[in-house]
Every structure is written in structure tokens, then in C-alpha cells.
Amino acid sequence: MACHITLSVTSLNVSSNANSQDPSVSHKLQTCNSTKEIKKNQSLIIKISSVQHPRQLLYTKIISLCSSPIPSKEFSYVHSLFSQIQDIDINLFNSLMRCLLSSKCKENALLALLMHVEMMCKGLVLDKYTYPLVLNACVQLRELRHGRLVHSHVIKTGFALDLYVMNNLIRLYGVCGCVGSVRKVFDRSPERDLVSWTTLIQGYVDNGYLKEGVELFFEMIEDGLRADERMMVVVISSCAKLEDLRLGQKLHKYVQSHKLNFDVFIGNALMDMYLKCGETDIALNVFREMPTRNVISWNTLISGLAQRREFKQALNAFNEMQDQGVKPDKNTLVGVLNSCSNLGALEVGKWVHTYIDRNQIQVAGYVGNALVDMYAKCGSMDDALRVFGSMNSKDVYSYTSVIVGLATHGKARIALNFFYKMLEIGIQPNGVTFVGVLTACSHGGLIEEGHKLFADMWRVHKLKPQIEHYGCMVDLLSRAGLTDEAVEFVKNMPIEPDASIWGSVLAACRIQGRVELAEHVTEKLVNIESEKDGTYILMSNTYASVSKWRDALKVRRAMKRQKIKKVPGCSLIELDGVVSEFKKGDKAHPRSKDIYAMVEQLTLHSIGTETFSNGSEPLIV
């Protein structure tokens, strides 16, 4: 948008001669739409007229152009034009600053600060409109040092009494991470309004002081101010990050009792807060009650359900979004692909991939990574590698998804080749990458390479091994039959082993029939998680593997006595894009009668065609 500005002419006596306003010059300037075109005509302007009007028109045109980002190659030229202005007054300066900052461009903001320095050197006296503009430039550039200089001038010139100036100072310190200075400026401000409180709370929240930010909100309420919708979004979002349901519900009641506008922003914030706090049903109710929704509303719902591991509900929400004609964006697609990955919903994932191609969405960044991860987890490694190969830019997450996928599917050597290729091109691995690498070594029986890579985590890459990495190493040794080495490794761990680590050792004991060691490990596991069924099942199976049936029965009775039930197995199947879940004894499926009837027929058929060990003919039922 062009800025129309009247320049102040105070020092030159403009001649009334007809030549003073050459219409050809005016026309040429008015048709200029870039600094390049102005540069072509500048010499002509100065040459044919020495009076003020053509220059005035030139500067007005420059101001108009400054409302959009200045190309970096034209930066010096535009700066030189500003430096030539001799008769600038404060109104013109403020107009120039306002145009520069409206573009939200860093180059323009830098030019604004350079102008500020030059005008100060020329002795220009700034007013209450100038300081907020200069502070805005500091905010855009995160320029704390210049901002502190401005702050000192504000105090010297008496503008520390101006509310608008002080609010902008609070914002500057908040953006630059100086929470202590934020509070000091707020406390020393002689006057405060809702903007002051909102800027203060935003400063705390943006710098990670979430609880303190919410506490300041209630302090403001006690001070007699009424919050608006913008402030409510800030504090509700803070409760979401804190996962503090009690505070979140309190804020929800405030919105209702004060009859604030239940707009899409408050609705999205409330839904996000309830989902992060585990209240899925309430979040769905908020979603249904929202008078208007946007794509962010749907994204919040889909990603929130996925984070709560409600993957089927997330896909149902996506289907509903499609039915209502809402166009998904990249964030929607990533949330849906994440749900597909965890459900094994390959057909839905392929539909999303087709949608991405049809809408010419670039398969790169987090969209490409989500596609690779989805195909890998759904067992389609060929498709995962095809997508990976088509990505123009790859990062650590792209490589990690491929490495983990290959490791899970037993392609140990190929997974390690991808890892070494990643290092070769200069991409640094992260903790998840090493989980994939060590898993590959475990599944491939690569003991020496696994030890070396585990040591390289800290020695080469400065990544401190976490419990999951130690678990991979124990699994590596246990799978290789090196149970004693695995136990020794656990004893020397610098962190306390968890149930998964001891579980790997116990599983190895069952395979090798190491009953005494299994009993010792079982004691450890029972102390860690006495209510889980896995420990008892493994121990019972260990006794059974060496024909100690009485001991196996004792373990089963102990489970029954302590009311520990075996968690039923679960399987998922996708048919025509619909994922169905089955558990032992489950009759929740709408076609469960037909399913059980078919199972019974298959069982009878299997029995009927069994060949007995005595060589008799198969019994046909």
C-alpha cells in the first residue's frame, strides 16, 4: 500500500516561475514503480530544476516505495536518498519510519534505525510518536543494545510518563528475553492499561515463565481490569503447555461468566488445552460448540487426538473435515500421516500421498519426513525409500525415519549404510537416530559394530546415552546369547535400569533356560512394576521351557491371587481404508457374529484336514 505524505517545506523560497513545476518531471516520477526507475530519472530531475518541488515529489515517491520490502541491492541507494534530505521535520521522519516498518522486513527495519541515528546527529527532537516507531524497529531486529539507548533517551526527555511509549518498551524487553527488565519497566510505569498487562504476561509466557504468566493474569483481575479475548488466548495456551487442567477450567469459566466473544481463537486455545490435559470428550464438546472453525481448529483436533494416541478418532475427524469441504494444509496432512503410521493404515496414507501430489505440495521438510515414516511403519519400505529419494532436501529426521524403518524390518546393513552416508554429507545424528542404528545392530547380530557405535555417541557426537540406548545394547547382547555380558552391562550402567532393560534379560533367560538368573531378574522386575503381567508370563514360560510345570503353575496362581490379568493381544486390519481393531474375546465389532462364524468354519476345516501321526487318512468333517 502506498503512503501518501505531504512534505514540510520550510527553508526554501519556491519560485513562482513556470519552470519550477515541470509537468514532464512530475509525470515521469509518478509513473516510477521501483527504485531502479527513480534512479534513472533522478539526474534529470536535479538537472532541469533546482527548486524544491521535483525533489519533494521524489522523496514522496520514495516514501511510497518504502511501504514494501526494499531489495537488498537497492538498500544503499535508498539510504543515500534519505541522507540527502535537508529540511526534514518530525512529521516527515515519523511518516518515513511508519512506511519502512509496515513492510515487516528486516532490511527496512535496519534502515529505520540508521535513519534514527542520523536524525539524532542532526539534532532532530523526537516526539511521543517517534519513540514507539524506533522501538518497533528494535523489536523486529531483536536489537537490545539500541533499544536500551532509546530507553535512556525516553527517560531523559520525559517520555517515561507516556503510556504508549512504556508499553512499547515492555514489549521490546519481552521479545529480547529480558524478563527482569520487563517487570521493572511495568512497575515503574505511572499508568497501566490492558495492553500493559497483556504485554507483560506475553513477555513472561514467551520466555518460558508460564506459571508466573498465569499468576500475573489473576493479579490483573484482582487489580480490577477485565481481560479481553487476546489475553485469554495467551493464558489458556499457557495452561495447555503446563497441562494444568484446574487452571484451564478456571479460565474457561472466566470466559463464560464474563460473556467474552467465543471466537475461533479462544475456541482453538480451549480445545488444545483440554486435549493436552487428557480431557478428550470436553475438547470435542468445545469443538462442536464453536460457532466458526478454521483449518487450525481441525489441525488442533487431529494432532491433539493423535498425541493422546486416539488415532482412529483422529482419522474420523479428518474424514469429517473432508465431508465439510475444509481444505487441509500441510499441518493437517502431517497429523493424519502420524495417525496412519501408528494404526498401519496404509491405504489412507497412500490417499494422503496422492492428495499431496495432486495439489503439487512439495514433498520436503516435515511433510516428506511424515510420508517416509508412514510408509516405513506400515511395512512398505520400498515406498518409503522412493519418497526419500525424491526429496530435494533431507535432514536428520528424514534419515532417521529411513534408518529406524530399515532396522525394524531387519535390514541392518542397509540401515547402517544410510547412517554412514548421513555422516559423510555432514548431517549430525540425534538420539533417535542412534536408537535406530543400535536396533539395526541388535537385529543383525552386529555386536562389535554396536559396541563401537554406542561408544561413538559421546566420544564423537557428544550425545549422552539415555535409557533407551542402554536398552538397545542389552537387547543386542541378549539376542546374541551373551546373557552374562548383558547382566554385567546392566550392573555397570550409570543410570538406574528400568523394566524394559530387565525384561530383555529375562526374555534371553527364557530362550536359554537360565532359570536361576531368571528368578533373580524377576525379583528386580517385580520391585519395579509389581502390577504388570509381562514379568509373570515370562517367568512362567521360563519354568515351562525346562519342564518345571509346578513352578510355572505357582507363578500363574500368584498372578490370580494378586488379581493380575494378562493383557489381551490386539491386532489391527485395514480394509477399504477403514481400520478395524480386534482383541481376544472382543465382540464390539458390528459384524462380530459373522467374524466368529467364519473363524469357527476355518477351525473345523483345519481339524477336518489334519493328518494323524499314525499315517491314517485325513478326517473329513
Side-chain angles (χ1 to χ4, degrees), residues 330-356:
K330 290 182 179 181
N331 293 318
T332 320
L333 301 176
V334 170
V336 173
L337 287 170
N338 180 29
S339 297
C340 293
S341 300
N342 286 277
L343 285 174
L346 182 59
E347 291 305 313
V348 180
K350 284 183 174 179
W351 182 93
V352 173
H353 192 178
T354 304
Y355 180 91
I356 289 168

Side-chain angles (χ1 to χ4, degrees), residues 83 87 121 180 302 353 382 386 398 430 444 449 454 471 485 498 516 560 582 597 613:
S83 300
D87 301 306
C121 292
I302 291 168
H353 192 178
D382 289 341
R386 197 173 295 116
S398 317
N430 59 24
E449 198 161 359
F454 181 78
E485 287 86 342
D498 64 3
E516 289 184 10
K560 190 175 182 180
F582 297 97
S613 59

Side-chain angles (χ1 to χ4, degrees), residues 31 55 84 89-90 174 179 191 230 248 279 289 305 313 344 357 383 403 424 464 554 579 596 606 608 618:
T31 57
R55 294 184 186 227
Q84 294 171 27
D89 68 2
I90 192 63
V179 178
E191 186 183 356
R230 181 188 170 191
E279 295 293 336
E289 291 169 4
L305 288 169
Q313 277 190 284
D357 290 340
D383 287 317
I403 291 167
E424 188 181 313
K464 188 177 181 181
K554 284 181 182 178
V579 178
Y596 279 106
S606 176

